[in-house]
Amino acid sequence: MTNMELHKESFGIDKVVSRHHPVMVGEVLHWLSPQPGSVVVDGTVGGGGHARAIAATLGPEGLLVGIDRDPEALARSKVALTGFPHILVQGNYADLSEILNQLDLSVVDGVLLDLGVCSDQLADPSRGFSFDAPGPLDMRFDPASGEPAYRLVNRLSEARLADLFYRYGEETHSRRIARAIVAARQRRPIRSAVELAEIIRRTIGRRKGHLDPATKAFQALRIAVNEELKWLEIALRRIPEVLRPGGRFVVLSYHSLEDRLVKDAFRSDSRLRALTPHPVTAKPEEIAANPRARSAKLRSAERLV
């Protein structure tokens, strides 16, 4: 079990507003199917966009439980959920069973996981998620735990860096990038996101289309720092335990590594019935208004009796 801290009403400054635009809100509500009076968990509550839409359907007798590893995200979601019955918890969605036990809840009617990075995290230059962030190359969802990305970049061997970029970012230039990083850090340690991004751009040049050359390597680092695939695998095994019969489990993923895990889990778990034989994607008009929706894939499953 990860470090978990239970909060109900204390998440920093109240007047914090999220700039994040939640993806496929209508589709999430359709496949999650929240009902008045039910209990639904948003395991990656972020800025509270999905959570607010869900909470609005639950009515005064329902409950939205919002979980996030990032305390700043919880401060924003607290604002978004004002006026709706809710509980906010700083923790890891893989620990959902333990979190519910602390809240005296045994089963829930629905669980949502949105595996994307929140726009608020990308926009904060002190977090190191964005290519142009001048602050520390951190990338931790929970700034108080784990090893920041700059330590990995400066500590790992060339071979391990190459393996990380290839495994978690599916980066075909992984060896060239790793070699360039090792050469650069011999001159001075790499500390910021903007430094790392420039090293990668100089090394592999422009890609076809609009994808920044640093995109895949940054994705890989973020996944490694936060152990995202590890916790997702654990959650996919454990979350069905706390769903009531007929309860829905919805996951929004943003790259093939995540989507493959979700697809396989929903198809192979005897406790679940996959409701989406193919991933649901955003409509063209949503992609035009919010380009980050382009890579989103939604899958849903229902708990069997």
Side-chain angles (χ1 to χ4, degrees), residues 100-161:
L100 293 177
N101 284 338
Q102 290 198 27
L103 299 176
D104 293 324
L105 295 169
S106 56
V107 294
V108 297
D109 300 284
V111 177
L112 168 67
L113 301 180
D114 180 348
L115 305 177
V117 179
C118 184
S119 299
D120 302 310
Q121 293 167 327
L122 290 168
D124 186 343
S126 70
R127 304 294 295 274
F129 287 101
S130 172
F131 306 136
D132 301 318
L137 180 64
D138 195 309
M139 292 190 176
R140 289 174 294 175
F141 292 149
D142 179 357
S145 67
E147 186 176 24
Y150 71 82
R151 288 186 184 167
L152 288 180
V153 166
N154 289 291
R155 176 176 65 79
L156 295 182
S157 68
E158 180 179 323
R160 289 187 65 190
L161 280 171

Side-chain angles (χ1 to χ4, degrees), residues 165-166 169-176 207 216:
F165 295 140
Y166 185 77
E170 300 177 302
E171 173 57 77
T172 56
H173 301 292
S174 60
R175 292 183 181 179
R176 290 173 58 194
R207 296 184 190 272
K216 294 183 177 182

